[in-house]
Amino acid sequence: MMKIWILLLPFLFLAHTHFGQGLDKENSDTVSIENILVTHSKIPIQASNASKPVHIITAEALRRNSGSDLAQVLNDASGIDVVGSLSNPGKDKSVFLRGASGEFTVILVNGQPILDPSGIGGVADLRSIPIANIQRIEVLKGSQSTIYGSDAIAGVINIVTNSHSQKEGLHAGGGVSYGSFNTLNANLYANGQSGDLEFRIGLNRDKTDGISEALSNDPAVVFEKDGMKRLGFSAGIGYKLSDKVKINAFSQYSDYESDTDADSFTDSEGNTYFTELLNLGASIDYSSDDWQGALKYTLTSTNRNFLSDFGAFPFMGRFQNMDVYASKDLTKSVKFIIGLNYQYHGMLDETTSIPDPSVTIISPYASSLISLGERTNVEVGLRYNKHSSFGSNTNYSLAASHWISNDLKVFANHSTGFKAPSLFQLYGAFGANPELNPQKSQSYEIGFQAPHSSGLLNPQLTFFARNVDDLIGFENFVYTNFFNQNDKGVELELGFSLGSQVTLRLLYTYLDGSYKVSNSNTTLRDVLYRRPKNNFGVKAFYNATDKLNVDVSFKSVGERLDLFFNPANGFASEEVKLESYMYLTLHADYKISDKVSAFLDLKNLTNSNFQEVYGFSTPGSNFMFGVNWKL
């Protein structure tokens, strides 16, 4: 009962007021990417004018991915590998953005970070975020540390949740789907506005019997299925105090449970993973003709527990983020933003070297967007970080873009970043080292976009490189700074419009990297584990009729290496090869009426047999069928 009251706090906070202008003006199912206002610098600008690559997953794209979860949708984006997204639904999901591990990518919800300080790298668990509540996703590639601070070395994934309806009154809808492995998903939502008050509320329930998480290497031995279930709730409310001032509040809650196996090729009948995620926040936003400001606060509470044959392993993390910033148009060509960010990272654990450890990070920052004529944009950013455990750190970013013609834009940027050691690495029960230094990065990008005015061709090519110093590794059972990671690659996106009914999209990523011993030219590992050098995809979108859409997606993932800790050899690490694989999906969406649509989602049509993680299984051919409606 206490959790329900906490979730209703946004409504109690504003219950005495009436309805307003909107949490988010974007409410269309189909959105032109050129017209989307992205917030990569906390100053809303058109995606086409951004000086850093921005990948937008629109509401229409999410609708045409009905039957997929958040990890699977992200895995389809260029430059992102979500290892585990094609495995058992309950398998952990690891985000690799341009070859960087998940701890170097910040997950945002409506522009505010969600972290789990009790985790090894402080990474948010994608399994706790239901896709039913998402309106669009912005993937900001390259270091974003000057604006978003620690962890944003590889980039930022900003999840924008559903907003209110732009029409007066109450609006509601939902969806239900059923598929392979006795999978059942259901969601309901309601939103609306009246006068100066707006609200939204959503509820979702997902469950599946799944397949065995671990792969049996003996055909005569069949492992038991490992299921998953999740309950999610979200609510938001906003009130327009005046033409210039709006206040918002929100709450999100997720209760997730999954069965897990003991290890590679090792079944378990009793291993279970639980996690509760509670995210609360409020903001005050000010906007006038020439300047904007905001005060935003979020609290993220994460409670995790592993039950295994070795006992129970609870982890509890508390994260607070407060951001106050203001941006002003100094001239028609110069926009300036200045802000102050406060973060609190806490872990509730009395068994650690310091009971219930916590750290704080205080960071003033500034950024400027400069338009040099109608074709050239320059961005300069600076951030100072004061960490309560390891001292200070300064980051900067330089970015520029130029439209050579109406159909050709070139861009380049250079930025630095840092990743603070997590509380688990500093003070945790296993291998803690309070003397750890932050991991520091240098990132470079250069590329071009050529959106042809006819719409027939839309290529984008990006070259990127990144070096991370003082990479934290686990050596002799202690976390220590002893690695450098160097990676580089190429991303190619190519879109074709073949008439009014057919669109093709080609995606290719080449990635190369190595780990080196610090202060040495000796290469320790000339490989990035679980990350392919070559990743190729083709998507075909066919608008068969006004009511029927059919999408086909093909993905080819190259060979990778993985590490296997062999129990027959004292758990010594062994390099093993993961074979390349091809993955084919088909999605059909039929509009029954203006308010009801049905979909059929078919995955792994070729029944490919592959492993994302050595010793863990992936489903064969499977399906999902569902209906969505709105009142």
Side-chain angles (χ1 to χ4, degrees):
M1 181 62 70
M2 180 60 70
K3 290 174 182 174
I4 298 299
W5 281 108
I6 292 175
L7 292 169
L8 292 176
L9 279 176
F11 293 99
L12 299 176
F13 178 66
L14 295 175
H16 63 284
T17 57
H18 358 270
F19 282 67
Q21 278 286 308
L23 299 169
D24 191 329
K25 289 297 180 185
E26 181 196 334
N27 197 42
S28 173
D29 283 342
T30 57
V31 180
S32 169
I33 292 179
E34 295 302 306
N35 294 326
I36 287 181
L37 294 181
V38 297
T39 52
H40 81 293
S41 61
K42 294 185 179 176
I43 303 174
I45 61 171
Q46 288 185 329
S48 58
N49 291 329
S51 299
K52 295 182 179 181
V54 181
H55 180 84
I56 308 295
I57 303 173
T58 65
E60 170 68 7
L62 290 171
R63 186 183 66 81
R64 298 178 82 148
N65 275 279
S66 298
S68 299
D69 60 20
L70 176 59
Q72 291 168 341
V73 169
L74 290 174
N75 191 56
D76 277 344
S78 65
I80 302 180
D81 289 301
V82 184
V83 175
S85 63
L86 304 181
S87 299
N88 191 41
K91 183 80 175 72
D92 57 291
K93 317 301 179 186
S94 301
V95 177
F96 294 100
L97 178 54
R98 288 183 171 173
S101 61
E103 62 184 298
F104 296 133
T105 298
V106 171
I107 305 296
L108 306 174
V109 175
N110 297 325
Q112 296 300 298
I114 57 171
L115 302 175
D116 178 11
S118 68
I120 293 177
V123 183
D125 191 342
L126 291 181
R127 295 173 294 180
S128 297
I129 306 175
I131 198 170
N133 189 42
I134 299 175
Q135 181 169 323
R136 77 169 187 269
I137 302 172
E138 302 171 355
V139 181
L140 318 178
K141 300 177 182 179
S143 177
Q144 310 288 332
S145 281
T146 53
I147 296 297
Y148 293 104
S150 182
D151 302 12
I153 282 177
V156 166
I157 298 174
N158 184 27
I159 298 169
V160 180
T161 59
N162 289 326
S163 67
H164 76 298
S165 172
Q166 293 182 349
K167 298 179 181 180
E168 287 279 335
L170 176 66
H171 309 272
V176 62
S177 58
Y178 179 82
S180 301
F181 321 119
N182 195 28
T183 300
L184 179 64
N185 301 327
N187 71 87
L188 296 170
Y189 72 87
N191 56 45
Q193 68 169 332
S194 176
D196 290 328
L197 187 69
E198 67 193 23
F199 83 94
R200 57 181 170 83
I201 188 170
L203 179 68
N204 68 278
R205 175 68 171 174
D206 308 305
K207 67 171 289 294
T208 181
D209 292 342
I211 62 174
S212 172
E213 184 175 81
L215 181 67
S216 174
N217 54 10
D218 184 349
V221 178
V222 178
F223 291 167
E224 69 170 358
K225 295 179 179 179
D226 297 302
M228 175 276 286
K229 55 186 179 182
R230 175 178 56 218
L231 175 66
F233 175 85
S234 65
I237 195 164
Y239 177 63
K240 183 180 178 183
L241 293 174
S242 69
D243 291 338
K244 297 180 179 180
V245 180
K246 292 185 290 186
I247 55 176
N248 300 302
F250 72 88
S251 61
Q252 294 179 308
Y253 173 75
S254 176
D255 186 350
Y256 177 88
E257 176 184 341
S258 65
D259 300 324
T260 65
D261 280 330
D263 207 341
S264 302
F265 305 111
T266 308
D267 195 16
S268 172
E269 297 183 0
N271 285 10
T272 309
Y273 169 73
F274 303 89
T275 182
E276 284 186 313
L277 174 68
L278 177 63
N279 191 27
L280 301 172
S283 67
I284 302 175
D285 296 272
Y286 176 88
S287 179
S288 67
D289 292 338
D290 59 351
W291 76 278
Q292 299 82 39
L295 171 62
K296 299 179 182 291
Y297 171 81
T298 56
L299 166 65
T300 305
S301 171
T302 309
N303 296 331
R304 297 181 293 124
N305 199 356
F306 293 91
L307 300 183
S308 70
D309 297 334
F310 300 98
F313 297 91
F315 299 91
M316 292 182 285
R318 302 292 182 266
F319 172 71
Q320 297 183 60
N321 184 81
M322 181 177 289
D323 209 13
V324 55
Y325 58 89
S327 63
K328 181 175 176 58
D329 297 343
L330 299 181
T331 67
K332 291 183 179 180
S333 302
V334 180
K335 300 178 183 291
F336 182 76
I337 181 172
I338 186 169
L340 180 66
N341 179 235
Y342 168 84
Q343 291 187 356
Y344 167 87
H345 301 244
M347 187 166 67
L348 303 181
D349 190 344
E350 295 185 353
T351 67
T352 53
S353 57
I354 297 178
D356 298 334
S358 64
V359 296
T360 59
I361 306 175
I362 300 175
S363 307
Y365 60 90
S367 181
S368 182
L369 297 177
I370 305 169
S371 298
L372 303 177
E374 296 182 354
R375 295 181 176 271
T376 304
N377 294 292
V378 177
E379 178 185 341
V380 180
L382 185 68
R383 186 184 187 101
Y384 173 81
N385 308 283
K386 179 65 176 179
H387 193 286
S388 60
S389 286
F390 60 70
S392 61
N393 179 280
T394 302
N395 302 124
Y396 65 87
S397 64
L398 302 170
S401 65
H402 177 70
W403 286 95
I404 296 176
S405 67
N406 292 335
D407 296 325
L408 179 60
K409 182 181 82 169
V410 295
F411 59 88
N413 62 74
H414 167 58
S415 54
T416 64
F418 90 108
K419 160 65 178 171
S422 70
L423 287 173
F424 188 91
Q425 293 166 332
L426 290 169
Y427 310 114
F430 305 100
N433 180 2
E435 303 301 320
L436 287 172
N437 294 319
Q439 301 163 98
K440 302 175 184 178
S441 70
Q442 298 271 347
S443 298
Y444 306 87
E445 290 176 327
I446 187 170
F448 73 85
Q449 290 176 285
H452 197 274
S453 57
S454 67
L456 297 178
L457 190 64
N458 187 10
Q460 176 173 307
L461 181 65
T462 306
F463 300 88
F464 63 88
R466 177 177 53 242
N467 176 67
V468 181
D469 292 325
D470 287 330
L471 192 71
I472 296 175
F474 198 67
E475 183 180 48
N476 297 325
F477 304 103
V478 177
Y479 287 103
T480 185
N481 300 98
F482 69 105
F483 283 146
N484 290 347
Q485 178 179 330
N486 299 285
D487 42 60
K488 57 184 179 295
V490 179
E491 289 178 4
L492 173 64
E493 298 185 43
L494 191 60
F496 300 89
S497 294
L498 306 179
S500 60
Q501 291 182 291
V502 180
T503 302
L504 294 178
R505 187 163 168 245
L506 306 182
L507 306 173
Y508 173 71
T509 302
Y510 173 79
L511 175 68
D512 190 21
S514 63
Y515 295 107
K516 296 183 178 181
V517 177
S518 297
N519 302 318
S520 170
N521 291 324
T522 303
T523 300
L524 183 65
R525 290 285 189 274
D526 191 19
V527 66
L528 300 176
Y529 292 113
R530 300 181 184 173
R531 284 151 277 187
K533 284 194 172 184
N534 295 284
N535 195 323
F536 174 74
V538 181
K539 296 178 182 294
F541 308 96
Y542 176 45
N543 297 322
T545 69
D546 292 340
K547 295 185 175 182
L548 177 64
N549 298 316
V550 179
D551 302 339
V552 178
S553 178
F554 170 80
K555 189 167 188 176
S556 174
V557 178
E559 293 181 350
R560 297 90 64 219
L561 290 180
D562 201 354
L563 282 179
F564 174 50
F565 297 91
N566 193 343
N569 190 25
F571 292 96
S573 62
E574 302 175 4
E575 280 191 355
V576 292
K577 184 169 72 172
L578 298 174
E579 300 290 344
S580 61
Y581 67 90
M582 293 182 290
Y583 199 82
L584 181 65
T585 65
L586 183 147
H587 183 92
D589 187 284
Y590 183 77
K591 187 177 181 180
I592 299 173
S593 69
D594 290 340
K595 296 185 177 182
V596 181
S597 63
F599 72 87
L600 176 65
D601 191 66
L602 304 175
K603 288 186 169 61
N604 197 5
L605 286 173
T606 58
N607 202 32
S608 296
N609 184 13
F610 62 96
Q611 299 172 52
E612 291 186 286
V613 180
Y614 187 69
F616 290 88
S617 57
T618 56
S621 299
N622 60 93
F623 78 95
M624 183 72 72
F625 170 79
V627 177
N628 297 308
W629 69 89
K630 56 185 177 180
L631 302 179

